[in-house]
Amino acid sequence: MMRNVILAAVAAALSGSAAAAQQGAPPDTRIAEATQILPPDLRAGATVVTYDAATGARNVLRQGTNFVECQPRMADGFTRCYNKALAPRRDLEAKLRAQKKSDEEISKAVAEAVKTGALPQPPKGMMAYRGYDKRDRIQNLWVISLPNATP
């Protein structure tokens, strides 16, 4: 029992240090990691961004040429790619996260910003790609979004 607790603590510490080490990885490594979940024909043209955790400021690691924007693995273990049209929404979410807002507060603020027109409505039909680095969830997930559509 104690051995399991110790192993779990070591695993948690290592995963946290791996995420911290990834933050200091060279940009080319982070770009490759961020885009690996995309279909091969989208990888070279994808924009890759990170956000400063303290301020929410956007940092462009590579400016792309297509419609996709990606984020390297974040503290939650996910790598994300999405349509560039969602960039203003991601920027707002990052700023609110830096202000230590809860997930619920962030969701409400984003919904209000869309309602008032401060954020554009999401485009009709787009793809999102998500990668995860552990076996306890789906590692590669591709999602087709159709906002306000019903079956």
Side-chain angles (χ1 to χ4, degrees):
M1 180 75 153
M2 184 61 159
R3 181 173 180 247
N4 291 344
V5 171
I6 292 170
L7 289 175
V10 169
L14 288 176
S15 66
S17 62
Q22 187 59 26
Q23 296 297 324
D28 287 347
T29 300
R30 298 192 75 204
I31 290 166
E33 175 196 60
T35 60
Q36 75 180 353
I37 61 172
L38 292 172
D41 61 323
L42 295 177
R43 292 176 188 166
T47 295
V48 179
V49 300
T50 61
Y51 290 96
D52 182 280
T55 65
R58 170 189 274 268
N59 176 36
V60 178
L61 297 180
R62 179 181 76 188
Q63 184 61 51
T65 57
N66 65 22
F67 62 92
V68 180
E69 183 169 285
C70 297
Q71 291 176 267
R73 186 177 312 120
M74 297 180 289
D76 63 3
F78 290 102
T79 302
R80 292 178 172 87
C81 295
Y82 42 85
N83 190 297
K84 282 183 182 179
L86 294 177
R89 173 184 292 235
R90 296 288 185 186
D91 292 351
L92 176 59
E93 290 170 346
K95 288 179 179 144
L96 294 171
R97 218 171 265 108
Q99 297 170 13
K100 307 294 186 218
K101 302 286 185 188
S102 70
D103 289 342
E104 183 179 340
E105 290 171 315
I106 292 169
S107 292
K108 285 181 180 179
V110 168
E112 184 63 24
V114 170
K115 183 179 175 183
T116 64
L119 280 179
Q121 287 282 344
K124 298 287 183 198
M126 63 184 144
M127 289 290 298
Y129 308 87
R130 187 186 76 188
Y132 190 65
D133 60 349
K134 295 184 182 114
R135 294 272 177 212
D136 63 336
R137 296 185 188 197
I138 297 171
Q139 281 78 53
N140 295 305
L141 180 65
W142 293 7
V143 178
I144 299 172
S145 296
L146 300 168
N148 301 312
T150 58

